[in-house]
Amino acid sequence: MLVRPYGWDGVLLEVDDPAAWFRALWAARERGELVCEEIVPAARTVLLRGVQGRPCWQDWTPAAGEAATARRLDVPVHWDGPDYAAVAAAWDAEPADVLKGTEFTVAFCGFAPGFGYLTGLPEQRWLPRLASPRTRVPAGSVALAGPYAGIYPRSSPGGWQLLGRTGLDLFVLDRDPPALLTPGTLVRFTDA
């Protein structure tokens, strides 16, 4: 782990497994062992903002904290994406069966409000982004790229492999919280 100061009261942790660190830090905060305003995971880092005190970071490991109680979300999917057949051929398996049989975790959020990067896909199932991105991906599209699965919260350009679509509204500003997919949420794909 590499610890970097961030502003007046923040710390940026460069770690091997940001999702595990997020869960451990969140649990430590819930137990009162860590005082901070925000814990923000990313692809290779975890940002802590508003840190009070000076924890000895060398004594911390993901195993040091019990996993926080995770919220679970079932995502009903119509498996009719334009890349479904190509992914089935690449995997020599039905993508719907693979995704329904995998428990995903929202590792971090980004790209657009409500977009969660879902981890859990076995490495042998990782797929590249499209060589040429689409100019418009419909809202609710269930997609894969590299080690991640994701769901487009609104229509936007994108270069991920599209397997299907869901009718869930992933980001509603007036909802609490506005995003359905928040770091640490466990996600399971189901048939719509």
Side-chain angles (χ1 to χ4, degrees):
M1 169 179 45
L2 185 59
V3 180
R4 298 183 187 273
Y6 184 86
W8 294 102
D9 61 357
V11 176
L12 184 68
L13 305 176
E14 293 184 18
V15 295
D16 290 340
D17 187 350
W21 275 92
F22 171 79
R23 289 189 303 272
L25 293 165
W26 190 276
R29 186 171 72 172
E30 287 182 341
R31 291 190 307 268
E33 297 169 5
L34 173 66
V35 179
C36 66
E37 293 175 26
E38 261 187 307
I39 304 171
V40 183
R44 291 177 172 64
T45 60
V46 179
L47 172 67
L48 291 95
R49 197 180 64 74
V51 177
Q52 295 180 19
R54 294 281 175 218
C56 182
W57 297 109
Q58 288 73 21
D59 295 340
W60 286 68
T61 64
E66 297 171 9
T69 303
R71 190 171 68 86
R72 295 183 181 276
L73 178 67
D74 286 348
V75 176
V77 178
H78 297 276
W79 303 103
D80 57 359
D83 302 313
Y84 190 93
V87 172
W91 284 356
D92 195 25
E94 287 295 318
D97 294 340
V98 172
L99 268 60
K100 290 186 302 182
T102 303
E103 182 174 72
F104 291 92
T105 302
V106 179
F108 59 97
C109 298
F111 168 63
F115 189 92
Y117 287 81
L118 311 179
T119 58
L121 195 63
E123 189 170 352
Q124 68 269 21
R125 302 290 188 195
W126 295 3
L127 295 170
R129 298 170 70 102
L130 298 175
S132 178
R134 293 177 171 90
T135 57
R136 183 179 178 281
V137 174
S141 293
V142 175
L144 300 174
Y148 303 111
I151 307 166
Y152 285 78
R154 64 177 190 230
S155 178
S156 67
W160 290 29
Q161 310 266 351
L162 304 182
L163 300 180
R165 60 190 163 78
T166 183
L168 290 180
D169 203 347
L170 298 175
F171 189 81
V172 177
L173 197 53
D174 296 333
R175 185 173 53 208
D176 185 26
L180 279 182
L181 300 175
T182 56
T185 300
L186 301 176
V187 176
R188 188 179 66 139
F189 292 106
T190 63
D191 291 329

